[in-house]
């Protein structure tokens, strides 16, 4: 690995929260200062490095019009750089605005779905009550893949019958979708 790629990997590790390896600390909200401190850290770590171009670690958000680290953007395979055009905060705000505009449509869709599958609703309610009472314990990570950064959901792998309502495995959203579709 060449020196420039090694430095970029250090910076990306650091920006993704792997701070134990490096001596530098900074507030994530203060991007300009953070970039300068990262440059200082890199120059401190690798004294023979000349001026480096850090611009390929940054991206302009089309929502807030701020230049942010690429780690602040979700992936999008259809885009040329592999990232969405809006940062996570802007994307979340846009989705929230969309939901509030169409709230009645979403609520009616959910109402129809629940009416069509009453056993599923009852099974989900039983799991919620069992978790609240401490009968079931939601783990911190997915039992299938081990991921912990996603929401963990109860999957009724044996169906929604009354005797199987509490017979669940806890999966992350991705594994749960895959299990439901298989």
């Amino acid at each position: 690995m060449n020196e420039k790629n090694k430095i970029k990997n250090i910076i990306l590790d650091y920006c993704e929260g792997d701070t134990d390896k490096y001596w530098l600390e900074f507030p994530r909200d203060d991007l300009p200062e953070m970039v300068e401190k990262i440059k200082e850290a890199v120059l401190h770590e690798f004294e023979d490095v000349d001026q480096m171009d850090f611009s390929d670690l940054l991206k302009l958000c089309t929502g807030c019009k701020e230049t942010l680290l690429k780690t602040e953007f979700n992936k999008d395979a259809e885009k040329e750089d592999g990232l969405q055009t809006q940062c996570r905060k802007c994307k979340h705000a846009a989705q929230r605005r969309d939901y509030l505009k169409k709230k009645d449509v979403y609520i009616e869709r959910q109402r129809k779905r629940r009416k069509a599958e009453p056993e599923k609703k009852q099974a989900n309610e039983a799991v919620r009550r069992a978790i609240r009472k401490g009968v079931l314990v939601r783990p911190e990570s997915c039992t299938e893949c081990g991921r912990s950064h996603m929401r963990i959901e109860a999957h009724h792998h044996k169906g929604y019958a009354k005797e199987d309502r509490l017979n669940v495995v806890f999966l992350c959203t991705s594994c749960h979708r895959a299990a439901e579709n298989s």
Side-chain angles (χ1 to χ4, degrees):
M1 180 184 312
N2 69 23
E3 197 74 5
K4 189 173 180 180
N5 285 339
K6 186 175 180 182
I7 293 169
K8 283 183 186 178
N9 287 339
I10 289 173
I11 293 168
L12 289 172
D13 283 348
Y14 190 83
C15 294
E16 289 174 358
D18 195 359
T19 57
D20 294 339
K21 295 181 189 175
Y22 312 105
W23 56 272
L24 179 66
E25 288 192 21
F26 57 86
R28 283 184 64 90
D29 295 336
D30 200 357
L31 186 69
E33 278 184 42
M34 177 179 65
V35 171
E36 288 306 313
K37 286 183 179 181
I38 290 172
K39 285 180 184 179
E40 288 173 25
V42 168
L43 295 173
H44 175 75
E45 190 95 14
F46 301 94
E47 293 168 3
D48 59 336
V49 176
D50 297 340
Q51 284 291 336
M52 242 183 100
D53 182 19
F54 286 82
S55 63
D56 56 343
L57 297 174
L58 304 173
K59 179 176 172 126
L60 179 68
C61 173
T62 59
C64 60
K65 307 292 187 225
E66 289 187 33
T67 302
L68 303 169
L69 287 169
K70 287 186 176 182
T71 57
E72 299 297 318
F73 294 81
N74 286 323
K75 293 180 181 178
D76 186 348
E78 293 179 5
K79 301 291 186 247
E80 188 175 318
D81 65 354
L83 300 171
Q84 292 180 347
T85 58
Q86 293 182 342
C87 67
R88 288 187 184 101
K89 287 181 182 177
C90 291
K91 192 70 171 173
H92 177 75
Q95 289 171 334
R96 185 73 185 147
R97 282 191 305 272
D98 180 59
Y99 172 78
L100 292 174
K101 279 184 200 171
K102 302 175 183 177
K103 189 175 181 178
D104 296 337
V105 173
Y106 291 123
I107 290 172
E108 185 59 34
R109 187 183 304 159
Q110 183 70 13
R111 190 176 291 128
K112 285 180 184 176
R113 197 176 302 132
R114 285 187 176 156
K115 206 172 198 175
E117 301 173 333
E119 309 86 26
K120 184 175 181 177
K121 181 182 181 232
Q122 291 168 351
N124 288 335
E125 288 297 325
V127 168
R128 263 191 230 106
R129 283 192 302 273
I131 290 172
R132 203 172 334 127
K133 290 179 181 177
V135 174
L136 285 177
V137 178
R138 185 186 313 266
E140 294 292 319
S141 60
C142 177
T143 56
E144 184 77 21
C145 68
R147 281 186 262 186
S148 61
H149 65 279
M150 298 179 80
R151 190 173 83 196
I152 306 300
E153 304 171 339
H155 172 57
H156 292 87
H157 59 103
K158 292 192 175 183
Y160 303 109
K162 192 171 187 172
E163 60 273 5
D164 292 325
R165 284 185 182 162
L166 296 181
N167 195 348
V168 295
V169 292
F170 289 95
L171 304 174
C172 67
T173 306
S174 296
C175 292
H176 193 190
R177 259 193 223 126
E180 290 284 332
N181 293 330
S182 62

